[in-house]
Amino acid sequence: MSADQKYVYFFGNGKADGNTTMKNSLGGKGANLAEMTNIGLPVPAGFTINTDVCNYYTDNDQTYPEGLKEQLLEALKKTEEAMGAEFGSKTNPLLVSCRSGARESMPGMMDTVLNIGLNDDTVQALAEHSGNERFAWDSYRRFVQMYGDVVLDMKPKEKTDNDPFEEALENKKEAAGVQLDSDLTADQLKELVAEFKQLIKDATGVDFPTDPIEQIWGAVGAVFGSWSNDRAVVYRRDYGIPHSWGTATNVQAMVYGNLGDDCATGVGLTRDCSLGNPGFCGDYLMNAQGEDVVAGIRVPLRIEETLKDDAPEAFKQLDEIGKTLEKHYKEVQDIEFTVQRGKVWMLQTRNAKRTGFAAVRIAVDLVNEGLITSAEALEKRRIPADDLDQLLQPIFDPKAKTQAQEEGRLLTTAINAGPGAATGKICMHAEDAEELFNADPNIDLILVRRETSPEDLRGMRVANGILTAFGGASSHAALVSRQMGKACIVGAGEMDVDYEAGTITVGGKVLNNGDWLSIDGFTGEVFQGEVPTKPSEIVEVLIHKTIKPEDSETYGRFEQLMTWVDENRKLQVRTNADSPEQAAEAIAFGAQGIGLCRTEHMFFHHLDEIREMILARDVKTRKAALDKLLPFQREDFQGLFEAMGDKPVTIRLLDPPLHEFLSDRHLEEQPDLGDKLATTLGVSLEEIKRRVEELHESNPMLGHRGCRLGIVYPEITAMQSRAIFEAACAVKKSGAEVHPEVMIPLAGFSTEFKNQEAVVREQAEQVFAETGVTVEYTVGTMIEVPRAALCADQIAESAEFFSFGTNDLTQTTLGMSRDDYGGFIGFYRENDIVPNDPFQTIDQDGVGSLMKIGVEGGRKSRENLKIGICGEHGGDPASVMFCHKIGLNYVSCSPFRVPIARLAAAQAAMADKP
Ligand code: PEP
Ligand code: MG
C-alpha cells in the first residue's frame, strides 16, 4: 500500500467521490450514501474509509496504513465546510457518527458510535446552539455509554451480566421517580454523564477521552475491529460472505431526531417486505435518536398509519424520496432517516431484505409496474432460489386454529414480522436453544425474548419461530427472522418475559420455559399450546387441490414467475421419486421426468420375499423368490409410468448391500424372525444365522452393493428388467406413451456396465417377443465412483446416459462417509475447514473436477450423451448453477425442491448472458 493510495471518499454538498458501483471498496452503505448524494437526495455530509483499511487493520495488529491520517483530517475539514460547523468547536460544534458498512449488509452484526465530538466543552456549545440543554446532555450521556460499550468493550459478555450503564440509568430513573429516559432532566443527565465516566474509569482504568480526534480514532478502530467479532464471523459463515472482504467505515455529520417534537427518526421500506404489499411503510419515533427504533426499547409507531398526522411535511418528503429511490435503483429500498426540525435527512438506503413471499410478490409487481423486465425479476439477488421454500411453508391448519381460538388460547396479537406458522416449546435463551437442538435436531422450539440482539442469532437459527415483547417490524428480530424465513412476531407488549423465573405472563396466564406455544407470523397471533401446522397455499393449490388456482393470489404470482423461469432456463428439472404419489407431486411442481427411482424403496414393502431371495443358497431358490417379487415390481413400475405419462422415467437397479434387508439387528429387534424364516425356507435357525453372518460387511458402502450385486446375482437384474419392460409394454399397449431409462448403479469399470447392460437388453428382447409390443428405452449408468468419472470415455462407449450420483461420488472422492461425517462436519464448518457441507453443496474443486472430467470423457465417446445429476445436490441452488456451467442436461431433486431447482436453473442460464 502506498501513501498516495486513496482510502477516504468524501460525500456532501451534492457531490461524492464514490458511487453505487463501488460497494466492494466503500461497502453498501458508503456506496449508497455517495449515490444518494449524487442524485440530489438530502444526505448529511461525511466520508467513507474503504475496506482496504479494514483488511490492513486486521492484518497489521490494529494499525493503519500510511497516509490515512492526513486523508481523514482533510475529509473531516470538507465535512465541516459542507455542514457549516466545526469539529470540537466550543461555539458551533460538529458531531459525527461512525458506522460500519460491508459489501453485503450484515444487519446489527457490527458496531456503531454516535455523537462523536462531545466533551464537557462542546456539550455546552451544543446546548446553546440547539437552544435545548436537555437534548445536549442526553446526547452526551448516550455517547459516553456507547463509547464505553463499543470502543472500551464494556458490553455485557454473558447472558447473566448486566450493562453497568443501563443499571445506572435505571437507578437514576428510580431515584428521580420517573418511568421514561425522556423524563430525566438536564441536571439529572449531567449527573449520569459523571457517573458513566466513573464507571469507565473503574472498569478500564482509563479516563473517558475528551479529545474529539482521539474519539474519532477510537470509534473507527472499534468499527473495523467489529468485523472480526464472533457474531459477525458466524453471520458471514451462514451467509457465505468471505472473511476477506472487510468492512468500510462511514463517518458522517450527525443530524438530530431528538431536538424536539418536530423531529423524528425512523427506518422505512419503500414497500412492505413481509408479504410484499405495495406502499411506503416502516417504524418511527418522534423526538428520538436512530438507535431507539431498532433497539426495541420504545414500541415505535407505523409510518403508514400515523406519520401523516404527526409530521405531514416529513411524510410527503419521505414518500417522494421513496419513489425516487425505487425508480433509480429499480428495487425496493430499506432506508434510515432522521427528521430534524421538519426536514428529512437520508442516512442509508439499501436493497431491502425480504421474505421469499415478499420477494416473489415484489419482483412480479415491479415487472407489472414497468420498472423491470421479467428476466430482471428472476435475478438471484431479487429472489434467492432457496427462498422460494417459504412459499411452500406451513400454515396453521385452519380447523385447529379456530379450535384454539374457541378454547380461549389466543394469548395476544402483535406485529406479524415474518410469515409462516410455527409451533414449539418455549425457550428464552439462544444458548439454551442451541444446546437443546444439538441434543435433538428434531426438537420444536419457539425462541421467546423481550427483544433480540445479534447475540441471539444462533438461537434464532435453530428455533421454528421467534416471539419478542418489544420492537417493531424493522427490529433486529424482525429483520433477521425474515431473512431466515422463520415465522416471527414482535412487539407483543402485553407479554411480560421474566428470564429469571423462566416464565412469560400474558393475559393473566403464566407459561413456563418448555411449555408449548404457537405463533402465526402471517397475522401476529400468539396461541398457548400446540397448534398443528399445514402446508402452504401453493401446496394447497398444486398438491392437495383444496384451493382453486384462481382463488389464490399468491399462487397466481408464483405461476407467473415460474412461466418466466421456464422461458429462461436451459437445464431440465426432474425429480427423485419412488411412488406414483411422489411423482404426481413433482409434476405439479413442474418436474419434467423422474431422474431417479430407487427400486429398493419398493422392496421395503415386501421384506418376506426379498429375505427369501437373500437367503437362497442356489440360483433356483433365488429365482423362485424373485418370481414372487416380480409382480409387485411390475405393478410399482406401471404406476410410475402412468403417473409420468410421456415424461422419461429413470429406474435404477438394486443398489444397497443386501444386509440392509436382513442383519443381526433385524434378528435382534424381531425375536421370532429367525424361526419364521427358517420354517419358510425349510432350513435350520443356525443356517439362517450363518447366512446373516456371511452378509455382514465392515465397510458396507464400499462392499457388495450397486452393480456388484447384479453381476454376482444376474437373476436380480433380470427380474427387475423384466418387471420394467412388462410394465412398459402394458402401459404402451393401453395407448399411453412410456420412456423407460434403465440405470446401472455404482459402475466403475466399463466391463461392469457391459455385463449388466447385456442382462437388461436380453430381458427387453424376451419381453418384446412375448408381448408383441416394442418400447424404446435406453440403458445408462450412474457416475458414483472416481474411476467412473476418470474412465467415462470407456463407459460411454456403451452407456447411453450418465447420471452423477453425487452422494456416493462425494463420499468416495472425499473418503468421507455420508453416514458418519456428522461427527465432525459441524466442527469443520465452524472452523472454516470446508466452505460448505459437501453433502449439500457440491465440492466444486474436488468432486466438481471429477464431474467435469466425466462430462468431457463421456461426450468424447458419445457427442450427445445425456447427462444429469440425481444426488441430493440436484436441489441445491449453488450446485444447480454448477451443473449448468459444466453442461449437464438435467438435475433431479426431491419433489418440493423442484421449483427451487427450476429457478436456480434460470438464474444460471441468465448468468451466461452478457
Ligand atoms: C447418489 O449416490 O448420489 C445417489 C443418488 O444414490 P444413493 O443416494 O441412492 O446412493
Ligand atoms: Mg449412490
Side-chain angles (χ1 to χ4, degrees):
M1 285 187 171
S2 68
D4 53 7
Q5 196 169 326
K6 187 169 171 65
Y7 300 116
V8 179
Y9 291 74
F10 172 74
F11 52 87
N13 272 347
K15 238 176 110 25
D17 295 344
N19 61 55
T20 194
T21 65
M22 296 169 70
K23 288 201 180 84
N24 294 3
S25 162
L26 302 184
K29 189 190 295 248
N32 282 328
L33 283 170
E35 186 80 0
M36 285 196 292
T37 304
N38 285 332
I39 62 171
L41 291 179
V43 177
F47 52 90
T48 305
I49 310 174
N50 73 5
T51 52
D52 290 343
V53 178
C54 180
N55 289 333
Y56 185 98
Y57 185 84
T58 311
D59 297 343
N60 292 276
D61 230 0
Q62 309 189 339
T63 58
Y64 297 107
E66 209 183 315
L68 177 72
K69 190 172 155 209
E70 293 73 18
Q71 291 186 30
L72 183 147
L73 291 176
E74 194 190 320
L76 184 61
K77 185 126 229 76
K78 285 194 192 167
T79 308
E80 290 175 336
E81 283 161 17
M83 299 307 290
E86 202 182 318
F87 195 57
S89 160
K90 292 182 184 163
T91 51
N92 180 20
L94 170 76
L95 302 191
V96 297
S97 63
C98 192
R99 297 168 202 253
S100 59
R103 196 187 301 191
E104 276 190 24
S105 91
M106 295 167 47
M109 299 301 135
M110 289 181 286
D111 286 332
T112 292
V113 186
L114 303 177
N115 302 329
I116 302 164
L118 278 173
N119 56 31
D120 293 350
D121 296 326
T122 53
V123 72
Q124 302 288 358
L126 184 66
E128 276 164 38
H129 199 75
S130 64
N132 186 337
E133 195 188 11
R134 196 200 165 277
F135 151 76
W137 282 96
D138 187 44
S139 303
Y140 195 15
R141 92 72 204 158
R142 287 167 189 264
F143 174 49
V144 180
Q145 176 169 0
M146 246 184 178
Y147 203 89
D149 271 344
V150 172
V151 183
L152 303 174
D153 200 26
M154 289 171 65
K155 226 181 273 175
K157 305 273 182 304
E158 302 291 329
K159 69 183 182 193
T160 47
D161 288 354
N162 288 323
D163 182 324
F165 301 113
E166 284 300 325
E167 252 177 13
L169 179 63
E170 284 308 313
N171 291 343
K172 183 64 63 190
K173 283 194 285 187
E174 210 176 296
V178 298
Q179 293 264 315
L180 300 173
D181 299 4
S182 53
D183 292 334
L184 290 172
T185 64
D187 283 341
Q188 285 159 342
L189 291 164
K190 241 182 244 182
E191 290 164 17
L192 257 187
V193 167
E195 287 167 29
F196 280 9
K197 284 185 184 168
Q198 191 56 46
L199 285 172
I200 287 179
K201 178 89 182 178
D202 293 347
T204 66
V206 296
D207 284 317
F208 170 75
T210 51
D211 173 10
I213 293 292
E214 187 185 339
Q215 293 172 355
I216 280 209
W217 285 109
V220 168
V223 171
F224 282 139
S226 68
W227 174 255
S228 307
N229 73 31
D230 180 56
R231 59 179 195 254
V233 172
V234 170
Y235 185 92
R236 290 201 288 278
R237 200 173 287 133
D238 266 15
Y239 290 94
I241 299 174
H243 300 312
S244 60
W245 280 0
T247 181
T249 293
N250 300 288
V251 179
Q252 190 177 19
M254 290 290 303
V255 282
Y256 307 100
N258 54 343
L259 269 177
D261 290 339
D262 53 353
C263 299
T265 185
V267 288
L269 295 165
T270 53
R271 57 185 83 201
D272 162 67
C273 285
S274 179
L275 293 170
N277 300 334
F280 201 97
C281 60
D283 296 329
Y284 74 98
L285 283 171
M286 296 304 289
N287 197 9
Q289 232 182 12
E291 294 301 291
D292 301 345
V293 181
V294 280
I297 297 162
R298 280 163 64 186
V299 177
L301 304 167
R302 297 294 300 166
I303 292 174
E304 66 278 21
E305 287 168 9
T306 45
L307 188 66
K308 209 186 265 160
D309 302 323
D310 285 348
E313 264 310 303
F315 182 76
K316 229 169 88 196
Q317 290 168 50
L318 265 183
D319 196 47
E320 264 158 36
I321 289 171
K323 288 193 182 112
T324 308
L325 285 171
E326 277 204 355
K327 244 198 205 124
H328 183 73
Y329 286 98
K330 299 184 181 316
E331 180 59 302
V332 56
Q333 295 293 297
D334 167 347
I335 66 164
E336 272 179 38
F337 64 92
T338 285
V339 183
Q340 179 174 290
R341 306 228 150 112
K343 176 178 164 70
V344 173
W345 289 92
M346 294 296 294
L347 302 181
Q348 169 159 305
T349 192
R350 62 187 175 198
N351 293 338
K353 307 258 184 223
R354 62 210 80 172
T355 62
F357 243 84
V360 170
R361 164 136 205 196
I362 290 167
V364 172
D365 283 356
L366 288 180
V367 175
N368 295 337
E369 288 166 26
L371 279 178
I372 58 171
T373 63
S374 60
E376 282 171 327
L378 305 181
E379 286 166 354
K380 196 171 143 196
R381 66 184 175 93
R382 291 182 193 274
I383 315 176
D386 253 335
D387 283 7
L388 271 192
D389 221 5
Q390 293 169 34
L391 271 81
L392 314 171
Q393 282 245 344
I395 53 175
F396 282 135
D397 173 357
K399 274 201 205 118
K401 186 171 160 180
T402 310
Q403 193 185 338
Q405 279 158 339
E406 285 169 0
E407 287 170 4
R409 290 199 277 132
L410 175 65
L411 294 173
T412 185
T413 301
I415 300 168
N416 50 341
T423 188
K425 292 178 176 171
I426 296 170
C427 181
M428 296 185 177
H429 298 290
E431 282 165 35
D432 301 353
E434 211 180 16
E435 226 168 78
L436 288 165
F437 177 81
N438 286 342
D440 174 12
N442 293 321
I443 194 159
D444 292 310
L445 295 173
I446 304 286
L447 186 68
V448 183
R449 306 261 325 146
R450 285 194 197 125
E451 74 271 358
T452 69
S453 71
E455 277 83 6
D456 295 315
L457 193 70
R458 285 167 183 268
M460 295 172 77
R461 209 168 37 176
V462 299
N464 292 350
I466 292 106
L467 170 65
T468 69
F470 298 105
S474 310
S475 64
H476 175 267
L479 285 180
V480 176
S481 35
R482 276 209 293 269
Q483 205 176 326
M484 287 180 173
K486 305 247 175 198
C488 176
I489 296 177
V490 296
E494 292 169 355
M495 176 176 76
D496 180 48
V497 181
D498 186 337
Y499 292 143
E500 226 166 277
T503 56
I504 63 172
T505 309
V506 54
K509 288 189 179 151
V510 181
L511 278 74
N512 292 298
N513 223 342
D515 287 352
W516 280 84
L517 189 77
S518 303
I519 59 173
D520 188 334
F522 295 105
T523 61
E525 292 162 296
V526 182
F527 294 97
Q528 183 179 11
E530 187 181 355
V531 181
T533 55
K534 67 185 262 318
S536 78
E537 217 168 284
I538 306 236
V539 171
E540 294 291 30
V541 172
L542 286 176
I543 308 296
H544 301 150
K545 309 207 183 330
T546 43
I547 303 177
K548 286 201 205 112
E550 59 274 23
D551 291 343
S552 167
E553 277 186 33
T554 308
Y555 173 74
R557 281 188 284 269
F558 172 79
E559 185 54 26
Q560 195 172 7
L561 183 87
M562 295 316 277
T563 312
W564 300 332
V565 161
D566 291 346
E567 283 165 8
N568 280 282
R569 73 188 158 97
K570 294 207 181 78
L571 268 178
Q572 303 252 316
V573 177
R574 296 195 187 185
T575 194
N576 294 355
D578 314 320
S579 69
E581 294 73 31
Q582 284 175 7
E585 280 179 6
I587 289 181
F589 283 133
Q592 294 164 289
I594 286 182
L596 174 64
C597 163
R598 291 179 166 100
T599 48
E600 62 271 18
H601 289 179
M602 300 167 161
F603 282 7
F604 282 105
H605 301 297
H606 307 289
L607 277 175
D608 287 348
E609 293 80 0
I610 189 121
R611 283 173 176 153
E612 261 185 73
M613 186 273 282
I614 290 169
L615 291 165
R617 280 282 180 204
D618 53 53
V619 176
K620 197 167 143 240
T621 330
R622 194 170 307 111
K623 274 193 171 156
L626 285 165
D627 282 347
K628 292 187 193 167
L629 283 166
L630 176 70
F632 298 126
Q633 286 257 281
R634 188 173 51 222
E635 202 181 310
D636 288 337
F637 294 142
Q638 193 163 334
L640 265 192
F641 291 142
E642 282 164 357
M644 292 308 289
D646 58 357
K647 298 180 174 59
V649 178
T650 305
I651 295 173
R652 179 182 72 185
L653 301 179
L654 190 64
D655 178 60
L658 295 180
H659 51 78
E660 282 201 7
F661 302 102
L662 185 60
S663 66
D664 274 345
R665 182 176 55 84
H666 295 106
L667 294 182
E668 270 165 35
E669 282 171 6
Q670 288 169 259
D672 59 342
L673 180 62
D675 285 330
K676 191 177 123 191
L677 288 169
T679 312
T680 316
L681 290 163
V683 296
S684 68
L685 182 59
E686 282 64 41
E687 168 65 11
I688 301 284
K689 287 188 175 159
R690 204 165 26 246
R691 184 74 184 117
V692 167
E693 182 72 14
E694 282 166 17
L695 286 170
H696 175 77
E697 290 177 324
S698 304
N699 207 342
M701 277 297 171
L702 302 177
H704 196 180
R705 57 166 290 214
C707 63
R708 299 162 199 168
L709 285 173
I711 290 170
V712 175
Y713 305 122
E715 25 328 319
I716 301 180
T717 305
M719 180 281 284
Q720 290 201 293
S721 307
R722 171 163 283 274
I724 293 169
F725 293 115
E726 285 183 356
C729 289
V731 172
K732 185 163 181 193
K733 216 173 191 167
S734 73
E737 264 193 74
V738 57
H739 298 285
E741 301 174 338
V742 184
M743 185 154 76
I744 313 294
L746 214 78
F749 296 86
S750 60
T751 44
E752 286 178 314
F753 178 80
K754 282 187 199 151
N755 172 295
Q756 289 295 280
E757 183 198 9
V759 181
V760 174
R761 292 202 186 280
E762 189 190 347
Q763 287 302 314
E765 288 315 311
Q766 278 182 21
V767 173
F768 297 160
E770 285 160 23
T771 57
V773 180
T774 306
V775 168
E776 268 187 42
Y777 68 97
T778 51
V779 188
T781 189
M782 295 188 75
I783 304 291
E784 295 181 279
V785 293
R787 192 180 198 283
L790 296 169
C791 302
D793 54 339
Q794 295 167 21
I795 296 176
E797 278 169 14
S798 323
E800 291 173 297
F801 66 88
F802 281 178
S803 177
F804 284 102
T806 42
N807 303 332
D808 273 311
L809 190 59
T810 298
Q811 98 170 332
T812 50
T813 302
L814 272 58
M816 203 182 262
S817 158
R818 62 198 265 191
D819 299 311
D820 301 317
Y821 84 121
F824 56 87
I825 194 67
F827 191 89
Y828 266 42
R829 291 282 296 112
E830 289 263 332
N831 289 281
D832 295 316
I833 307 286
V834 288
N836 298 296
D837 176 339
F839 287 96
Q840 283 180 14
T841 299
I842 288 171
D843 154 39
Q844 293 190 13
D845 291 348
V847 176
S849 292
L850 278 173
M851 290 174 74
K852 281 190 213 159
I853 293 170
V855 170
E856 210 176 294
R859 295 217 172 116
K860 199 161 100 195
S861 302
R862 202 179 278 265
E863 205 181 333
N864 294 320
L865 183 71
K866 187 167 64 181
I867 308 179
I869 177 176
C870 61
E872 287 311 298
H873 306 85
D876 167 67
S879 308
V880 171
M881 296 188 105
F882 177 74
C883 292
H884 170 90
K885 214 158 77 193
I886 63 169
L888 298 201
N889 301 92
Y890 69 87
V891 296
S892 188
C893 56
S894 60
F896 274 67
R897 300 295 296 177
V898 167
I900 293 160
R902 284 162 72 194
L903 177 55
Q907 290 172 340
M910 284 164 49
D912 286 348
K913 292 182 187 155

